Amino acid sequence: MSIAQNIQKIRRDIPDGVTLVVVSKYHPQQALMEAYECGERVFGESRVQEMAQKHELLPKDIEWHMIGHLQTNKVKYIAPFVALIHSVDSLELLMQIDKQGAKFGRVIDCLLQLHVAAEESKFGLALGQAARLLSSEEFAVLRNVRIRGVMGMGTHTDDMDRVKADFAAIKGEFDALKSEFFTEADYFDTISMGMSGDFQLAINEGSTMVRIGTTIFGEREK
Ligand SMILES: *Cc1c(COP(=O)(O)O)cnc(C)c1O
C-alpha cells in the first residue's frame, strides 16, 4: 500500500482530539512530502541534525516534534523552530531548553518523558522524579519552557496486558501531576503514548497524541 493509503487507514482509527505525529525519522524528504500532501502537518524526528535539515528543506507550516533522546549541547540547533520536545528527562536538559528559548525569544513546549516500561532503559523519569523536578526551585524560575504533559512508551512485548498496564501507569502519573501542579493550567493537556503496534490500546487508555512511523512508511533503513 502507498503512504497515502496507509495514512487514510490509520486516520480512521484516530478519533478527533487525538493528534497524529507522523514519525518520519530515517525517511527521505520525498516520503515526508507524500504525507504532507495528504494533509499531515505534524512530524516527529529523533535526531537533531536530521530534523534541522528537514526543517530547512520542507514547507514551513510543518510542526516539528523531537521524540528522541536529546543531548543538552544539541538543543541550540532545534530551539528556533521546534514545536514540541517529547523527551525531557532531566532538569538539566529543561534548563538548557529554557536558556535557548530565551535566546530565540520563544517559550518552548515540552513533555516530561516517563519511564514505566519493564526494560532497563537509560531514558525517562522514574515515577516520583517528575514531581521532584516540578517542585524544584530551579524549575520555578524557568520562563521560556512550558510543560504540556507527559510522554511514555509501553514495554516492548507481545503481552498486551503488560502494555496496557504501562499506559495506565502513564495516564495515572499525568493525572497525579495535573492535580498536584497544574490544576489552574489548561495547557497541561497532552499524553503522548502509542506507536505503530499499540496505538489503539494507548488511545483506549487515554492517549491524546500517538507517534506512528512504521505503519505509515514501512520499515526504516538505518
Ligand atoms: C521511532 C519512534 C516511534 C515510532 O515507532 P513505530 O513503531 O515506527 O511507529 C515512536 N516513538 C518514539 C519515541 C520513537 O523513537
Side-chain angles (χ1 to χ4, degrees), residues 100-117:
Q100 294 298 326
K103 200 149 132 197
F104 293 100
R106 305 185 63 210
V107 175
I108 299 177
D109 281 346
C110 295
L111 302 177
L112 298 177
Q113 182 175 351
L114 303 176
H115 177 58
V116 298

Side-chain angles (χ1 to χ4, degrees), residues 8-213:
Q8 225 172 28
K9 186 158 179 289
I10 284 168
R11 277 284 175 197
R12 284 199 285 272
D13 293 328
I14 299 178
D16 291 344
V18 174
T19 302
L20 169 60
V21 180
V22 174
V23 175
S24 50
K25 62 188 183 195
Y26 303 102
H27 292 290
Q29 265 185 74
Q30 182 48 39
L32 278 73
M33 277 312 293
E34 278 186 63
Y36 183 89
E37 302 295 350
C38 296
E40 300 302 334
R41 292 294 181 271
V42 181
F43 289 80
E45 290 283 333
S46 62
R47 298 184 301 184
V48 163
Q49 252 87 9
E50 184 177 342
M51 182 160 112
Q53 226 165 37
K54 286 173 172 170
H55 165 260
E56 205 45 44
L57 296 167
L58 289 163
K60 290 295 172 271
D61 60 344
I62 291 174
E63 260 188 43
W64 293 98
H65 287 205
M66 175 48 63
I67 62 169
H69 181 66
L70 181 57
Q71 289 172 291
T72 49
N73 63 345
K74 294 196 173 163
V75 175
K76 58 177 179 276
Y77 299 114
I78 59 169
F81 67 89
V82 67
L84 181 64
I85 299 174
H86 291 231
S87 45
V88 172
D89 61 357
S90 72
L91 179 60
E92 188 198 7
L93 175 58
L94 196 59
M95 289 167 71
Q96 183 60 29
I97 297 168
D98 183 78
K99 187 174 157 191
Q100 294 298 326
K103 200 149 132 197
F104 293 100
R106 305 185 63 210
V107 175
I108 299 177
D109 281 346
C110 295
L111 302 177
L112 298 177
Q113 182 175 351
L114 303 176
H115 177 58
V116 298
E119 291 104 6
E120 288 279 323
S121 161
K122 298 165 291 212
F123 308 125
L125 298 158
L127 297 182
Q129 277 185 315
R132 231 168 300 142
L133 184 158
L134 294 169
S135 322
S136 68
E137 288 172 23
E138 291 91 340
F139 174 72
V141 299
L142 303 183
R143 292 292 170 266
N144 294 85
V145 288
R146 182 168 69 157
I147 305 296
R148 297 290 310 271
V150 301
M151 183 271 248
M153 278 180 254
T155 303
H156 189 68
T157 170
D158 292 333
D159 176 3
M160 281 298 150
D161 287 338
R162 171 70 218 205
V163 178
K164 186 176 169 185
D166 292 338
F167 289 152
I170 294 164
K171 170 72 162 81
E173 181 74 353
F174 172 86
D175 290 340
L177 294 174
K178 174 126 185 121
S179 64
E180 193 175 349
F181 300 99
F182 298 100
T183 44
E184 305 294 310
D186 53 7
Y187 58 79
F188 190 80
D189 61 1
T190 303
I191 304 174
S192 168
M193 60 184 188
M195 316 188 351
S196 286
D198 55 22
F199 73 92
Q200 273 151 324
L201 185 56
I203 290 170
N204 290 339
E205 295 302 315
S207 172
T208 69
M209 189 174 272
V210 292
R211 310 177 306 268
I212 301 179

